[in-house]
Amino acid sequence: MTSYTQFFSGTATVAGALVGLLFVALSVAPERLRGSHASLEHQAVASTAFTALVDALFVSLIGLEPGGALDYGAVILGALGLTSSCGLAIRLWRSRAGEDLSRRWPYLLGFIVLVYAAQVVTGFILRTPSSQASATVTFVYILFSVGIARSWELLGLHGGGPLDLLAQRLASRQPLSGGSAVPPAPPEPGPGGE
C-alpha cells in the first residue's frame, strides 16, 4: 500500500491554517452573519466553507493515525456535512420568499450535498485500506476546492473562471410571469454612440 502520511500531514496543516484564516475573514465583517443586517445566504456560504475545511482537516488527521479508520471517518464526517448542508438547504428554501437570495444557491448547495453523500457511500463500500486512502485523497481535494471557493465568495470576490461565469449567467436571468427567463437587456449606448 502506498503511504499517504506525508500527504495527510501536509493537508492537515493546510486545512488547519485555512480554518484559522476563515475565522479571521468572518471576524472582519461580522455584521453580515449576525445582527439586523444578517443574510441567511451569507451564513450558508460561511457554514459550507467551514464544514468543508473542517471535514478535510479531520479526515487528514484520521489518515495520520496508525491504522486510522478512514472508512469510519468518511461516514461520520460525510454524514455531518450532509445533514448540515441539507439543513441549510431547507432553511434557504423556506426563506426564499422573504429574503433576496441568488439564483445559484440551489445548484451550489446541491453539488455540496452530492459530495457529502458520495463521501458517506464510499465510506460504506470501500473495504481495502488502499482504496479508502485513495478515495480520501480525492475528497480532500474536493473539500479544499469547496472550502476555498466558498471562502472567496464570502469576501465578495469573483474568480472569473467558467463556474463563476455560469453563476453570473444564472444570477442575471430575469423571471417572467409565466416562469420562464429572458436574457438581460443590452446596455444603453454611451454618449455620442449609437
Side-chain angles (χ1 to χ4, degrees):
M1 178 179 125
T2 305
S3 175
Y4 290 96
T5 303
Q6 288 184 338
F7 174 82
F8 288 131
S9 178
T11 56
T13 303
V14 170
L18 288 173
V19 169
L21 289 173
L22 180 61
F23 277 112
V24 171
L26 295 176
S27 67
V28 170
E31 66 278 354
R32 294 181 70 185
L33 296 173
R34 58 181 187 261
S36 59
H37 299 296
S39 161
L40 181 58
E41 189 169 10
H42 196 75
Q43 291 172 350
V45 171
S47 177
T48 53
F50 177 74
T51 305
L53 293 175
V54 166
D55 187 316
L57 172 63
F58 279 98
V59 165
S60 297
L61 291 173
I62 292 169
L64 288 173
E65 293 178 21
L70 289 171
D71 54 345
Y72 293 122
V75 171
I76 293 168
L77 292 165
L80 288 172
L82 185 61
T83 55
S84 171
S85 299
C86 287
L88 286 172
I90 291 168
R91 286 180 60 204
L92 286 166
W93 182 260
R94 287 180 178 163
S95 71
R96 71 191 186 285
E99 192 168 329
D100 186 27
L101 301 174
S102 71
R103 292 180 162 272
R104 61 191 177 146
W105 75 262
Y107 304 102
L108 295 173
L109 209 49
F111 171 74
I112 292 168
V113 165
L114 286 175
V115 168
Y116 288 124
Q119 186 180 16
V120 170
V121 169
T122 59
F124 280 119
I125 64 172
L126 298 179
R127 291 290 125 212
T128 66
S130 177
S131 62
Q132 292 169 1
S134 179
T136 300
V137 166
T138 302
F139 282 109
V140 167
Y141 283 131
I142 293 170
L143 293 167
F144 273 156
S145 299
V146 168
I148 292 169
R150 299 299 271 176
S151 298
W152 191 255
E153 188 178 343
L154 273 175
L155 298 174
L157 304 172
H158 302 284
L163 292 177
D164 188 49
L165 295 174
L166 176 62
Q168 288 175 3
R169 175 72 178 138
L170 289 171
S172 68
R173 297 178 71 184
Q174 302 294 325
L176 290 175
S177 58
S180 62
V182 295
E188 300 263 338
E194 297 215 11

